[in-house]
Amino acid sequence: MTLVRYRRILPAVVLTAALCSRSAPGQSSRGAVETIAIRVHEGTTLSFDLSPDGRSIVFDLLGALWELPSAGGVARPLTNAVRDTAEDLDPSYSPDGRRIAFRAERRGRTGLWLLEPDGTPIQLTQLQNPDGYEGNAAWSPDGKSIAYARMVPPDSAVPRSHSRLARIDLATRAVRELPVAESVGPNLRDPAFEPGGTRLVVVAGFAPAPVGGRIWMVDSGTGRATPLGPEATVALAPAFSPDARRLAFFAPDSGARMQLWVLRLDSPGATAVRLTNHEDVTPTRVRWTPDGSGLVYSADGRLWKVATTGGPPAEIPFTVRLSFERPRRALPPARFPEPGTAQPVRAFMGLALSPDAQRVAMLALGKLWVMPVGGTPRAVAAVPLNAHHLAWSSDGGTLAWSAGPWEEQDVFATELATGSTRRITALPGREESPSYSPDGRHFAFLYHPSEDTTIVRVVDAQARELSDTAQGSSIPAANGVDVSWTPDAGGLLVVSGGFNPDDSTRGAIIRLSGERRVLARMPDSPLFLRWTANAIVFVRHARLWRAPFDSTGLQGPAEPLGSEPAMYASAANDGTVLFITEGGLRLRSPDGREQRLGWPLTYTPPVAEPLLIRGVRIIDGSGRPATPPQDLLVERGRISRIAAAGRLPAGTARVLEAGGRYLIPGLMDLHAHEYRPELLPGFSYFGVTTIRDQGSAIGPLVAYADAIAAGQLDGPRVDYGGFQFYSDWAYDAEDQQGVEPEADPAHVSRAVDMAQVLGSQHIKTRTFRRWDINARMIAEAHRRGMRATGHCAHLLPLVAAGMDAKEHAGFCSPRSDGRIYDDLVQLYRTAGIGVVPTIAYSSFAVQLNEHPDLLDADSALAPFLPPRNAFAWMLRLNPARRQQFARFAQQARAATVRLARAGVTIGTGTDIWQIPTGVHLELAELVAAGLSPLEAIHAATGGSARIVGAEQDLGTIAVGKVADLILLDADPVADIHNTRRIRAVIQAGRVVDRPGIVQRFGRK
């Protein structure tokens, strides 16, 4: 075969991004582009095939297919991953060498594909299950069909996902399952046909897991199977020699490293011979040379050939030159509330429209507010900062809400006329989501006697101090239910399900008499659903909807109420809806008229008093070593002067004598999830002055961020995305948006709009497929001047779209989080992708699992620990999972140090929401990985600020920067663990009251 037969190859191996070029805040001008160009000789998870004539090699690198002479040389591109929004993987030549089968996702279509001789990709199969897998393609000897492994969803016979073998006829496209004896087991993978024969070998293992199994010889007609080799063999990717007398395969050596082995099939009782000794073999495919004298395989990021008689392998060198254009980014810096400058309250702990649609109630900044529509808000009563779930009484005279420590919340009611508050419930456990019946006679709420149990309770509307679980009526319900009264006040509409990809929405009407009616027709995954008169209103895909509804369910299709983004909807009796959208609060009447209420509440962050820190050694976060003792003056929350010790007069400033101690910038956690916001004060206590939340219930998160900025709550500065954006399933919640562009083309734009309305400065894409949608998410974020970070960032379509950062290393994507090589390293560096490795997430889970009393010895941490069940999944790891997480941590360490050495920006993030000391754990992990203490501190400060886009204000100690500082009693360069030896924390120039935090917020 020849290398020029694919006529649609682009000249000069340039891949061009076909992306939107509309001018926007994130682009400097219309059509402005930049070129991303790399030249590499290594590939990560390098899958390949050798042509039948032995003259060419096809391989995948960075999700595109490339071809080169089998002796090595410059590779030519066969596919264009950027243009086609594709990830092309695991290529396999046809027996005549003219076509290539491969596994791919291309423009949202996923399955097996065929590259024709003219370069046209044709889809052969389409995955029906988005979590499925179709791969390990093996051509039949006559080239008329392809056998492959496919993942099968659970069913009644096999309750867990399993993999079987299928065979597709290329002429008819008919697919049938390959017969294999049941004795082989439920999982099959890695088929390989015997040259010129009717048999094939298969592996009894689950595809696509990286773990193999025993090899079996199978008759392709009858399915009769015979095992090959010892029963304990754990093999992958077997391949027959040209004469069918030998079998090559991958299997672990004594050190559990995957290696290449050969077994003689014509010698009964023969044992396999190991041919290689590599650190990192890619066990996807091995190929015999046509004369059977050598084997070609992939290891250590390169291609190799080894003689079947053994000896040192010879490298097959290759060069890939990759170049593509993308829109040039000019993203604005991240901004945070400035002391002394009024800020709007963008979200509320509770938001509710009165039954008569004349007043709006809000929970914000530790107060209960009531505002006449079009009027001025009035603070009715002080409430705890964690007060949430607001509900009006039917007569409009009372507002109910819930508050209290996590898992101990009670329900309260405030009388608007007097401002007095009474406790309604005092049950063991948690009570929340109160609601009054339309006739004013009953009161419902959700009761959680334990974390995994939900009961709908209905009591008399005048109940108080309810402590007896026998009072009223109890209705068992699923976790995560939403409850709305029927318009006639005779029962409750209970909505459950729809909260994950495998769970449809269910509805039931439960009458107060006890009658239950299951509804056949419900909207898909509705949020904030309320039933008024003959219709329901709800939010779906960041949009407001209304649908005709009665006691049997939906009576017709739902209709959108406008095209604006919407969240946190609340409805009056006449169907008027209050919601948050662009510009703030908005009312929509049943006749379609709208009234803009804007952002009715504001706050002004306090300005810290002047502060002089005397005689301090500064480690400024840039990577430079500590200075001699210096003085540092802070005014209006920013560093105004730095001079030699003793040179700055105190004036009216408060003086903090450092006595030669060490000063570092405030630490940053770029991967937080605030599932329990009451833990936020602990971050400030331990010197974490900025967090970047990557997906939490956005309303409460923003409300807590406002309270911190307003000086009402100790805690870190909060940068948030709020939502996690999914492109591979379509359900919504307060913390996530499942994008479904085929059904709703404007959803991507609207969902990103909604995040920005609530103050988000970035989005996080938490997806593992549908790169076409993911690329649109990134483009929409950049168009608004927002950044984008993702679990997966290495895909060429995402890099071309402009992905800014990557979350995690070691466990996210199999192709980018094991051992990584120069292709990924260069791509990240050249494209400016920052990496937040979260090593401590994996290592902490292992340590806590091995030592359940680990946290008990940390007396400083003890006041901030949530209940032990918050660590349940870590404590329950079985040995195999513990070993897996240990491997994740090791892979993350190796990747992090390699990326850092190449100049990739590293930031610190933890994904450990249960404790506020995660950044200190991450610092220790960075040093254990091979970074110096100065480099680790830079990652947690200057590097993290750069990833956030806040390097103008945060991350380093310099004149003009925000004064986020930690005064340490010992040198962190001598021992990175000294970052825990904190003398004082300064946040925006204010000395944090650390003893007061323990007293006010620490759990006893």
Side-chain angles (χ1 to χ4, degrees), residues 109 138 239 250 266-267 419 443 455 490 561 632 781 827 940 949 982:
R109 305 286 295 175
F250 299 106
D266 58 357
S267 179
F443 184 79
I455 298 171
L561 302 181
L632 183 147
L827 188 67
I982 299 173

Side-chain angles (χ1 to χ4, degrees), residues 375-732:
T376 301
R378 175 178 66 91
V380 174
V383 297
L385 284 169
N386 59 20
H388 61 299
H389 290 158
L390 196 57
W392 287 87
S393 63
S394 59
D395 62 5
T398 304
L399 282 161
W401 42 274
S402 55
W406 184 260
E407 298 297 343
E408 300 173 16
Q409 294 97 322
D410 295 313
V411 176
F412 301 82
T414 298
E415 303 298 329
L416 300 188
T418 64
S420 62
T421 297
R422 74 178 191 276
R423 184 192 299 269
I424 296 179
T425 68
L427 297 168
R430 168 166 56 105
E431 301 93 63
E432 61 183 1
S433 301
S435 61
Y436 289 92
S437 62
D439 61 6
R441 297 175 57 193
H442 298 97
F443 184 79
F445 59 92
L446 298 182
Y447 174 44
H448 307 273
S450 65
E451 188 175 12
D452 299 324
T453 304
T454 299
I455 298 171
V456 181
R457 296 292 307 276
V458 181
V459 298
D460 186 273
Q462 303 305 314
R464 62 172 59 219
E465 294 290 338
L466 180 67
S467 58
D468 184 354
T469 57
Q471 294 184 43
S473 58
S474 298
I475 304 166
N479 287 338
V481 297
D482 193 4
V483 175
S484 178
W485 283 93
T486 61
D488 65 3
L492 294 162
L493 170 62
V494 180
V495 181
S496 61
F499 308 115
N500 62 63
D502 304 314
D503 192 9
S504 60
T505 302
R506 300 178 297 277
I509 294 176
I510 302 174
R511 311 298 299 185
L512 296 182
S513 62
E515 176 191 357
R516 176 188 292 262
R517 171 182 289 178
V518 176
L519 305 181
R521 300 176 301 279
M522 288 294 298
D524 180 31
S525 189
L527 295 176
F528 316 111
L529 184 150
R530 289 298 175 264
W531 188 355
T532 62
N534 59 355
I536 54 173
V537 293
F538 58 92
V539 170
R540 169 70 169 151
H541 284 351
R543 193 178 194 181
L544 198 61
W545 298 80
R546 178 182 284 125
F549 198 85
D550 67 11
S551 59
T552 64
L554 285 173
Q555 296 302 297
E559 297 291 337
L561 302 181
S563 58
E564 299 86 357
M567 280 287 283
Y568 295 103
S570 172
N573 290 339
D574 67 352
T576 298
V577 184
L578 172 72
F579 57 102
I580 296 178
T581 186
E582 294 174 328
L585 304 186
R586 192 176 301 183
L587 279 179
R588 184 179 178 90
S589 301
D591 61 7
R593 290 178 300 156
E594 291 192 348
Q595 184 173 354
R596 298 172 183 265
L597 306 181
W599 301 112
L601 295 178
T602 62
Y603 67 92
T604 300
V607 179
E609 63 178 334
L611 174 69
L612 176 63
I613 306 175
R614 278 184 173 158
V616 67
R617 303 176 190 273
I618 297 175
I619 299 173
D620 67 5
S622 69
R624 290 190 291 265
T627 67
Q630 297 193 312
D631 291 349
L632 183 147
L633 180 63
V634 178
E635 296 177 300
R636 296 190 64 82
R638 291 181 179 266
I639 301 168
S640 61
R641 295 181 65 187
I642 300 175
R647 298 290 299 274
L648 295 182
T652 60
R654 174 183 174 180
V655 177
L656 185 60
E657 296 288 355
R661 293 181 174 86
Y662 293 83
L663 193 71
I664 64 173
L667 303 175
M668 303 179 75
D669 186 342
L670 300 194
H671 198 113
H673 293 281
E674 295 317 309
Y675 298 124
R676 298 184 180 179
E678 74 274 10
L679 301 179
L680 283 168
F683 285 91
S684 289
Y685 182 89
F686 287 104
V688 180
T689 54
T690 301
I691 65 169
R692 193 185 202 198
D693 188 271
Q694 298 292 6
S696 301
I698 190 167
L701 173 69
V702 179
Y704 271 86
D706 285 347
I708 291 169
Q712 296 186 356
L713 175 68
D714 284 294
R717 179 181 299 99
V718 182
D719 177 32
Y720 51 86
F723 300 127
Q724 299 187 65
F725 284 80
Y726 291 81
S727 62
D728 39 9
W729 53 66
Y731 68 100
D732 298 337

Side-chain angles (χ1 to χ4, degrees), residues 20-32 327-328 782-784:
C20 173
S21 61
R22 177 168 48 169
S23 181
Q27 299 176 19
S28 57
S29 64
R30 181 176 177 84
R328 184 181 299 277
H782 284 173
R783 191 164 65 83
R784 293 160 180 79

Side-chain angles (χ1 to χ4, degrees), residues 152-207:
V152 181
D155 56 28
S156 57
V158 183
R160 300 181 63 181
S161 294
H162 54 291
S163 58
R164 307 299 293 172
L165 297 182
R167 188 169 184 171
I168 181 170
D169 184 283
L170 296 180
T172 65
R173 297 293 194 267
V175 175
R176 61 182 178 87
E177 184 169 317
L178 268 173
V180 178
E182 291 185 2
S183 58
V184 176
N187 292 308
L188 301 170
R189 61 175 300 161
D190 294 350
F193 285 94
E194 181 181 33
T198 61
R199 300 184 302 173
L200 70 160
V201 288
V202 303
V203 171
F206 178 70

